[in-house]
Amino acid sequence: MTERTRTRTPDLSPQHPDWWRQAVIYQVYPRSFADADGDGLGDLKGVTERLTHLAALGVDALWLSPFYPSELADGGYDVADHRDVDPRLGTLDDFGAMADEAHRLGLKVIVDLVPNHTSHRHVWFQEALRAGPGSAARDRYVFRDGRGAHGERPPTDWQSVFGGSAWQRVPDGQWYLHLFAPEQPDLNWDNEEVRADFRTTLRFWSDRGADGFRVDVAHALAKDLDEPLRDLGAPELSSEAALTEFAPGTHPFYDRDEVHEIYRDWRKILDAYAPPRTAVAEAWVPGARRTLYARPDELGQAFNFEYLRAGWDADALRALITASLADAHAAGASATWVLSNHDVVRHASRLMLPPGTDDNAWLLSGGHAPEVDEAAGLRRARAATLLMLALPGSSYLYQGEELGLPEVADLPTEVLQDPVWEQTGRVRKGRDGCRVPLPWTTGGPSYGFGPGGAWLPQPQRFAAYAVEAQDGVEGSTLELYRAALRLRRKLLDGETLTWADDTPPGVLQFDRHDGWRCVTNLTGTAVPLPAGELLLSSAPLARGGLLGPDTTAWLA
């Protein structure tokens, strides 16, 4: 692999208001990143101790998944206090020390905001249970009387994302809404007290070093709560996939037009800081609707989950990339690209599954039906990463992908932590396989994750993927990421691309500027490379200087 240096670089300085437009953001799932105190659970001090890894990798920011007080009914997304740190993960002082060290190293800090719901242990919800029906405390949540002669049936047929009814009955007979786990009661965003509290939360973390926010379930805050509540008529209509069955903005609890009032209000707070605080929406909605969240007077960016869901197909990817760039431009935002996160099968495994394979069925088989060739999966993942990093816009990386980690599909059922497993009657295995703690060293009780064990078991094969095993090793996945991010920073200019003419079938080729070209071979045979200086490739070139199958090259 070779690199060519350039003098033109994007302005990613701390005070530049648009640093995020083409940044690379690294997602840290704190409980699985690094454990400083040896209790088997990752913590903020562990993150601080490993920030030099992120700086050496070359990312611009880290996004911290929830670190708030939580009983872990949903991996930390059941938040008992939005303005504190879980004692098992540290203290507010530890957060401050982590943010200070990140900033010293030139890294921005993005925190996860969870506004759709709280934990059932939140003081507000406990007050609501004590206060009873019709109280101001219950109005902060979505409580309703049940149907039937004695209120014994849920108020509607709405279904939880995790399976089963989205309603839970309390001892006095009323029901509360939970679009996720029963331990995650939904907030009522028609209540001004709820809105005011989150304004306080935005300022709280911004004042303590947060440079931006990732907004969890951003599309679900506004709900049609006018009586009588609407039944949907079929369980599947409760899923995000059902949005196409409704006129835009009219689903009872997903992607309603009213949600944008909330984010326009937030933007006033975010813009009051210098530089303005950034935000990105987790909104599982179709592209044309997703870009609404990314408008400059709202959150500014929204995750492009269509790209994450795309298969390894040149024509489909070209069409999706073209549409995504157009949508982002229309919104005044930059595009976002992501291949893995804490909710999906890692792309080193997922991209090798045959088209149409059900991820859950594969997980239930322990990763054996079908078998996935890890070496082939890693080759394809490396090619997909170089393709993604060449695209205009922001790239979001998930911890461990720089090591080439595969999904741990064979976790025994007795160790599973994701509530999806139990709440679906043990028919959906859940997301634990992508949350297994990282390997830092080739030995030790948890491969360097901490001085003790790990909260989820790590497979023995993780030793070969450890940072220690790859650091400084030419051709390793870790060194490929470092080289790509170093080179990307030097090459960046503008937010457009031009598709190359006369591209062979199954190959993607585009130019960014000044002749910088990305070529990805998604076929099963080697193809000729266009003329130019090879800057970087995801795998060694094939005989005769050909670009091998499942390989990406950057050319000058």
Side-chain angles (χ1 to χ4, degrees), residues 235-260:
E236 58 270 18
L237 293 180
S238 290
S239 73
E240 290 102 336
L243 284 170
T244 55
E245 302 296 321
F246 294 80
T250 66
H251 189 282
F253 48 84
Y254 285 141
D255 191 37
R256 293 189 60 78
D257 289 336
E258 302 94 310
V259 77
H260 299 288

PDB file of all heavy atoms in Angstrom, residues 235-260:
ATOM      1  N   PRO A 235     -50.365  -6.486  13.779  1.00  0.00           N
ATOM      2  CA  PRO A 235     -49.143  -6.249  14.553  1.00  0.00           C
ATOM      3  C   PRO A 235     -48.028  -5.623  13.733  1.00  0.00           C
ATOM      4  O   PRO A 235     -47.293  -4.765  14.229  1.00  0.00           O
ATOM      5  CB  PRO A 235     -48.763  -7.660  15.041  1.00  0.00           C
ATOM      6  CG  PRO A 235     -50.037  -8.432  15.031  1.00  0.00           C
ATOM      7  CD  PRO A 235     -50.828  -7.888  13.880  1.00  0.00           C
ATOM      8  N   GLU A 236     -47.903  -6.040  12.470  1.00  0.00           N
ATOM      9  CA  GLU A 236     -46.785  -5.551  11.669  1.00  0.00           C
ATOM     10  C   GLU A 236     -46.866  -4.053  11.379  1.00  0.00           C
ATOM     11  O   GLU A 236     -45.871  -3.420  11.031  1.00  0.00           O
ATOM     12  CB  GLU A 236     -46.671  -6.324  10.351  1.00  0.00           C
ATOM     13  CG  GLU A 236     -47.909  -6.279   9.467  1.00  0.00           C
ATOM     14  CD  GLU A 236     -48.893  -7.405   9.753  1.00  0.00           C
ATOM     15  OE1 GLU A 236     -48.803  -8.020  10.840  1.00  0.00           O
ATOM     16  OE2 GLU A 236     -49.732  -7.676   8.880  1.00  0.00           O
ATOM     17  N   LEU A 237     -48.051  -3.458  11.536  1.00  0.00           N
ATOM     18  CA  LEU A 237     -48.186  -2.026  11.295  1.00  0.00           C
ATOM     19  C   LEU A 237     -47.587  -1.180  12.413  1.00  0.00           C
ATOM     20  O   LEU A 237     -47.528   0.042  12.317  1.00  0.00           O
ATOM     21  CB  LEU A 237     -49.654  -1.661  11.085  1.00  0.00           C
ATOM     22  CG  LEU A 237     -50.307  -2.221   9.812  1.00  0.00           C
ATOM     23  CD1 LEU A 237     -51.759  -1.790   9.726  1.00  0.00           C
ATOM     24  CD2 LEU A 237     -49.544  -1.774   8.566  1.00  0.00           C
ATOM     25  N   SER A 238     -47.128  -1.839  13.477  1.00  0.00           N
ATOM     26  CA  SER A 238     -46.432  -1.126  14.550  1.00  0.00           C
ATOM     27  C   SER A 238     -44.949  -0.959  14.268  1.00  0.00           C
ATOM     28  O   SER A 238     -44.248  -0.290  15.027  1.00  0.00           O
ATOM     29  CB  SER A 238     -46.604  -1.867  15.882  1.00  0.00           C
ATOM     30  OG  SER A 238     -47.924  -1.773  16.361  1.00  0.00           O
ATOM     31  N   SER A 239     -44.439  -1.542  13.202  1.00  0.00           N
ATOM     32  CA  SER A 239     -43.009  -1.473  12.907  1.00  0.00           C
ATOM     33  C   SER A 239     -42.702  -0.302  11.998  1.00  0.00           C
ATOM     34  O   SER A 239     -43.570   0.194  11.270  1.00  0.00           O
ATOM     35  CB  SER A 239     -42.536  -2.772  12.245  1.00  0.00           C
ATOM     36  OG  SER A 239     -43.000  -2.836  10.906  1.00  0.00           O
ATOM     37  N   GLU A 240     -41.429   0.142  12.032  1.00  0.00           N
ATOM     38  CA  GLU A 240     -41.014   1.230  11.153  1.00  0.00           C
ATOM     39  C   GLU A 240     -41.214   0.868   9.691  1.00  0.00           C
ATOM     40  O   GLU A 240     -41.468   1.732   8.850  1.00  0.00           O
ATOM     41  CB  GLU A 240     -39.544   1.586  11.400  1.00  0.00           C
ATOM     42  CG  GLU A 240     -39.284   2.269  12.725  1.00  0.00           C
ATOM     43  CD  GLU A 240     -38.717   1.338  13.764  1.00  0.00           C
ATOM     44  OE1 GLU A 240     -38.941   0.115  13.644  1.00  0.00           O
ATOM     45  OE2 GLU A 240     -38.065   1.825  14.711  1.00  0.00           O
ATOM     46  N   ALA A 241     -41.107  -0.422   9.371  1.00  0.00           N
ATOM     47  CA  ALA A 241     -41.267  -0.854   7.986  1.00  0.00           C
ATOM     48  C   ALA A 241     -42.661  -0.564   7.451  1.00  0.00           C
ATOM     49  O   ALA A 241     -42.882  -0.509   6.239  1.00  0.00           O
ATOM     50  CB  ALA A 241     -40.962  -2.348   7.861  1.00  0.00           C
ATOM     51  N   ALA A 242     -43.626  -0.342   8.372  1.00  0.00           N
ATOM     52  CA  ALA A 242     -45.015  -0.106   7.952  1.00  0.00           C
ATOM     53  C   ALA A 242     -45.283   1.345   7.587  1.00  0.00           C
ATOM     54  O   ALA A 242     -46.393   1.686   7.182  1.00  0.00           O
ATOM     55  CB  ALA A 242     -45.963  -0.528   9.070  1.00  0.00           C
ATOM     56  N   LEU A 243     -44.270   2.213   7.701  1.00  0.00           N
ATOM     57  CA  LEU A 243     -44.509   3.625   7.442  1.00  0.00           C
ATOM     58  C   LEU A 243     -45.015   3.876   6.031  1.00  0.00           C
ATOM     59  O   LEU A 243     -45.767   4.824   5.793  1.00  0.00           O
ATOM     60  CB  LEU A 243     -43.225   4.423   7.685  1.00  0.00           C
ATOM     61  CG  LEU A 243     -42.873   4.666   9.156  1.00  0.00           C
ATOM     62  CD1 LEU A 243     -41.479   5.236   9.299  1.00  0.00           C
ATOM     63  CD2 LEU A 243     -43.888   5.571   9.814  1.00  0.00           C
ATOM     64  N   THR A 244     -44.619   3.038   5.098  1.00  0.00           N
ATOM     65  CA  THR A 244     -45.068   3.220   3.714  1.00  0.00           C
ATOM     66  C   THR A 244     -46.561   2.931   3.552  1.00  0.00           C
ATOM     67  O   THR A 244     -47.140   3.271   2.525  1.00  0.00           O
ATOM     68  CB  THR A 244     -44.265   2.321   2.761  1.00  0.00           C
ATOM     69  OG1 THR A 244     -44.362   0.959   3.207  1.00  0.00           O
ATOM     70  CG2 THR A 244     -42.795   2.732   2.736  1.00  0.00           C
ATOM     71  N   GLU A 245     -47.184   2.307   4.556  1.00  0.00           N
ATOM     72  CA  GLU A 245     -48.615   2.016   4.500  1.00  0.00           C
ATOM     73  C   GLU A 245     -49.456   3.217   4.944  1.00  0.00           C
ATOM     74  O   GLU A 245     -50.680   3.171   4.854  1.00  0.00           O
ATOM     75  CB  GLU A 245     -48.940   0.811   5.400  1.00  0.00           C
ATOM     76  CG  GLU A 245     -48.180  -0.462   5.046  1.00  0.00           C
ATOM     77  CD  GLU A 245     -48.546  -0.991   3.672  1.00  0.00           C
ATOM     78  OE1 GLU A 245     -49.741  -0.922   3.323  1.00  0.00           O
ATOM     79  OE2 GLU A 245     -47.632  -1.444   2.958  1.00  0.00           O
ATOM     80  N   PHE A 246     -48.812   4.263   5.414  1.00  0.00           N
ATOM     81  CA  PHE A 246     -49.519   5.439   5.913  1.00  0.00           C
ATOM     82  C   PHE A 246     -49.118   6.658   5.089  1.00  0.00           C
ATOM     83  O   PHE A 246     -48.011   6.719   4.550  1.00  0.00           O
ATOM     84  CB  PHE A 246     -49.170   5.696   7.388  1.00  0.00           C
ATOM     85  CG  PHE A 246     -49.640   4.628   8.326  1.00  0.00           C
ATOM     86  CD1 PHE A 246     -48.924   3.447   8.480  1.00  0.00           C
ATOM     87  CD2 PHE A 246     -50.799   4.796   9.077  1.00  0.00           C
ATOM     88  CE1 PHE A 246     -49.351   2.453   9.351  1.00  0.00           C
ATOM     89  CE2 PHE A 246     -51.227   3.813   9.952  1.00  0.00           C
ATOM     90  CZ  PHE A 246     -50.516   2.639  10.082  1.00  0.00           C
ATOM     91  N   ALA A 247     -50.008   7.621   4.990  1.00  0.00           N
ATOM     92  CA  ALA A 247     -49.625   8.892   4.385  1.00  0.00           C
ATOM     93  C   ALA A 247     -48.476   9.488   5.192  1.00  0.00           C
ATOM     94  O   ALA A 247     -48.444   9.353   6.419  1.00  0.00           O
ATOM     95  CB  ALA A 247     -50.824   9.843   4.363  1.00  0.00           C
ATOM     96  N   PRO A 248     -47.498  10.118   4.536  1.00  0.00           N
ATOM     97  CA  PRO A 248     -46.343  10.654   5.264  1.00  0.00           C
ATOM     98  C   PRO A 248     -46.753  11.513   6.452  1.00  0.00           C
ATOM     99  O   PRO A 248     -47.608  12.398   6.350  1.00  0.00           O
ATOM    100  CB  PRO A 248     -45.614  11.489   4.203  1.00  0.00           C
ATOM    101  CG  PRO A 248     -45.984  10.847   2.905  1.00  0.00           C
ATOM    102  CD  PRO A 248     -47.404  10.376   3.085  1.00  0.00           C
ATOM    103  N   GLY A 249     -46.153  11.205   7.598  1.00  0.00           N
ATOM    104  CA  GLY A 249     -46.387  11.997   8.800  1.00  0.00           C
ATOM    105  C   GLY A 249     -47.627  11.652   9.579  1.00  0.00           C
ATOM    106  O   GLY A 249     -47.970  12.364  10.529  1.00  0.00           O
ATOM    107  N   THR A 250     -48.309  10.537   9.240  1.00  0.00           N
ATOM    108  CA  THR A 250     -49.602  10.245   9.884  1.00  0.00           C
ATOM    109  C   THR A 250     -49.634   8.950  10.684  1.00  0.00           C
ATOM    110  O   THR A 250     -50.680   8.611  11.236  1.00  0.00           O
ATOM    111  CB  THR A 250     -50.722  10.184   8.833  1.00  0.00           C
ATOM    112  OG1 THR A 250     -50.516   9.059   7.957  1.00  0.00           O
ATOM    113  CG2 THR A 250     -50.780  11.467   8.009  1.00  0.00           C
ATOM    114  N   HIS A 251     -48.540   8.204  10.747  1.00  0.00           N
ATOM    115  CA  HIS A 251     -48.521   7.018  11.603  1.00  0.00           C
ATOM    116  C   HIS A 251     -48.778   7.465  13.042  1.00  0.00           C
ATOM    117  O   HIS A 251     -48.344   8.534  13.456  1.00  0.00           O
ATOM    118  CB  HIS A 251     -47.169   6.317  11.488  1.00  0.00           C
ATOM    119  CG  HIS A 251     -47.116   4.971  12.152  1.00  0.00           C
ATOM    120  ND1 HIS A 251     -46.992   4.815  13.522  1.00  0.00           N
ATOM    121  CD2 HIS A 251     -47.158   3.714  11.638  1.00  0.00           C
ATOM    122  CE1 HIS A 251     -46.963   3.526  13.817  1.00  0.00           C
ATOM    123  NE2 HIS A 251     -47.068   2.839  12.693  1.00  0.00           N
ATOM    124  N   PRO A 252     -49.503   6.670  13.837  1.00  0.00           N
ATOM    125  CA  PRO A 252     -49.840   7.123  15.197  1.00  0.00           C
ATOM    126  C   PRO A 252     -48.649   7.469  16.079  1.00  0.00           C
ATOM    127  O   PRO A 252     -48.757   8.351  16.941  1.00  0.00           O
ATOM    128  CB  PRO A 252     -50.628   5.941  15.778  1.00  0.00           C
ATOM    129  CG  PRO A 252     -51.205   5.255  14.590  1.00  0.00           C
ATOM    130  CD  PRO A 252     -50.175   5.395  13.505  1.00  0.00           C
ATOM    131  N   PHE A 253     -47.502   6.800  15.890  1.00  0.00           N
ATOM    132  CA  PHE A 253     -46.393   7.085  16.808  1.00  0.00           C
ATOM    133  C   PHE A 253     -45.020   7.092  16.162  1.00  0.00           C
ATOM    134  O   PHE A 253     -44.021   7.224  16.855  1.00  0.00           O
ATOM    135  CB  PHE A 253     -46.400   6.100  17.996  1.00  0.00           C
ATOM    136  CG  PHE A 253     -46.545   4.646  17.634  1.00  0.00           C
ATOM    137  CD1 PHE A 253     -45.460   3.883  17.269  1.00  0.00           C
ATOM    138  CD2 PHE A 253     -47.797   4.040  17.689  1.00  0.00           C
ATOM    139  CE1 PHE A 253     -45.599   2.537  16.968  1.00  0.00           C
ATOM    140  CE2 PHE A 253     -47.952   2.687  17.390  1.00  0.00           C
ATOM    141  CZ  PHE A 253     -46.836   1.934  17.019  1.00  0.00           C
ATOM    142  N   TYR A 254     -44.920   6.992  14.846  1.00  0.00           N
ATOM    143  CA  TYR A 254     -43.623   7.088  14.176  1.00  0.00           C
ATOM    144  C   TYR A 254     -43.638   8.213  13.143  1.00  0.00           C
ATOM    145  O   TYR A 254     -44.579   8.342  12.356  1.00  0.00           O
ATOM    146  CB  TYR A 254     -43.273   5.784  13.458  1.00  0.00           C
ATOM    147  CG  TYR A 254     -42.836   4.653  14.349  1.00  0.00           C
ATOM    148  CD1 TYR A 254     -43.238   3.350  14.088  1.00  0.00           C
ATOM    149  CD2 TYR A 254     -41.997   4.872  15.446  1.00  0.00           C
ATOM    150  CE1 TYR A 254     -42.836   2.292  14.888  1.00  0.00           C
ATOM    151  CE2 TYR A 254     -41.594   3.817  16.250  1.00  0.00           C
ATOM    152  CZ  TYR A 254     -42.008   2.532  15.968  1.00  0.00           C
ATOM    153  OH  TYR A 254     -41.611   1.488  16.762  1.00  0.00           O
ATOM    154  N   ASP A 255     -42.591   9.007  13.148  1.00  0.00           N
ATOM    155  CA  ASP A 255     -42.333   9.979  12.086  1.00  0.00           C
ATOM    156  C   ASP A 255     -43.509  10.915  11.842  1.00  0.00           C
ATOM    157  O   ASP A 255     -43.869  11.200  10.699  1.00  0.00           O
ATOM    158  CB  ASP A 255     -41.949   9.246  10.786  1.00  0.00           C
ATOM    159  CG  ASP A 255     -41.419  10.192   9.717  1.00  0.00           C
ATOM    160  OD1 ASP A 255     -40.710  11.139  10.084  1.00  0.00           O
ATOM    161  OD2 ASP A 255     -41.749   9.990   8.527  1.00  0.00           O
ATOM    162  N   ARG A 256     -44.104  11.398  12.896  1.00  0.00           N
ATOM    163  CA  ARG A 256     -45.201  12.351  12.742  1.00  0.00           C
ATOM    164  C   ARG A 256     -44.642  13.752  12.466  1.00  0.00           C
ATOM    165  O   ARG A 256     -43.579  14.132  12.961  1.00  0.00           O
ATOM    166  CB  ARG A 256     -46.081  12.358  13.993  1.00  0.00           C
ATOM    167  CG  ARG A 256     -46.834  11.034  14.178  1.00  0.00           C
ATOM    168  CD  ARG A 256     -47.866  11.128  15.295  1.00  0.00           C
ATOM    169  NE  ARG A 256     -48.853  12.157  15.030  1.00  0.00           N
ATOM    170  CZ  ARG A 256     -49.887  12.018  14.189  1.00  0.00           C
ATOM    171  NH1 ARG A 256     -50.044  10.884  13.521  1.00  0.00           N
ATOM    172  NH2 ARG A 256     -50.745  13.010  14.015  1.00  0.00           N
ATOM    173  N   ASP A 257     -45.381  14.519  11.699  1.00  0.00           N
ATOM    174  CA  ASP A 257     -44.907  15.847  11.318  1.00  0.00           C
ATOM    175  C   ASP A 257     -44.615  16.721  12.538  1.00  0.00           C
ATOM    176  O   ASP A 257     -43.698  17.554  12.514  1.00  0.00           O
ATOM    177  CB  ASP A 257     -45.945  16.540  10.431  1.00  0.00           C
ATOM    178  CG  ASP A 257     -46.023  15.912   9.045  1.00  0.00           C
ATOM    179  OD1 ASP A 257     -45.032  15.292   8.616  1.00  0.00           O
ATOM    180  OD2 ASP A 257     -47.080  16.044   8.402  1.00  0.00           O
ATOM    181  N   GLU A 258     -45.363  16.526  13.613  1.00  0.00           N
ATOM    182  CA  GLU A 258     -45.208  17.379  14.795  1.00  0.00           C
ATOM    183  C   GLU A 258     -43.839  17.234  15.461  1.00  0.00           C
ATOM    184  O   GLU A 258     -43.433  18.103  16.249  1.00  0.00           O
ATOM    185  CB  GLU A 258     -46.293  17.069  15.830  1.00  0.00           C
ATOM    186  CG  GLU A 258     -47.715  17.230  15.330  1.00  0.00           C
ATOM    187  CD  GLU A 258     -48.303  15.922  14.814  1.00  0.00           C
ATOM    188  OE1 GLU A 258     -47.622  15.264  13.990  1.00  0.00           O
ATOM    189  OE2 GLU A 258     -49.425  15.570  15.233  1.00  0.00           O
ATOM    190  N   VAL A 259     -43.133  16.141  15.183  1.00  0.00           N
ATOM    191  CA  VAL A 259     -41.858  15.923  15.858  1.00  0.00           C
ATOM    192  C   VAL A 259     -40.847  17.011  15.503  1.00  0.00           C
ATOM    193  O   VAL A 259     -39.940  17.324  16.281  1.00  0.00           O
ATOM    194  CB  VAL A 259     -41.301  14.513  15.528  1.00  0.00           C
ATOM    195  CG1 VAL A 259     -40.673  14.459  14.132  1.00  0.00           C
ATOM    196  CG2 VAL A 259     -40.278  14.080  16.569  1.00  0.00           C
ATOM    197  N   HIS A 260     -41.011  17.611  14.335  1.00  0.00           N
ATOM    198  CA  HIS A 260     -40.014  18.588  13.889  1.00  0.00           C
ATOM    199  C   HIS A 260     -40.073  19.888  14.676  1.00  0.00           C
ATOM    200  O   HIS A 260     -39.079  20.615  14.749  1.00  0.00           O
ATOM    201  CB  HIS A 260     -40.170  18.811  12.386  1.00  0.00           C
ATOM    202  CG  HIS A 260     -39.945  17.556  11.603  1.00  0.00           C
ATOM    203  ND1 HIS A 260     -38.696  17.001  11.443  1.00  0.00           N
ATOM    204  CD2 HIS A 260     -40.817  16.712  10.981  1.00  0.00           C
ATOM    205  CE1 HIS A 260     -38.801  15.882  10.745  1.00  0.00           C
ATOM    206  NE2 HIS A 260     -40.077  15.685  10.465  1.00  0.00           N
TER     207      HIS A 260
END
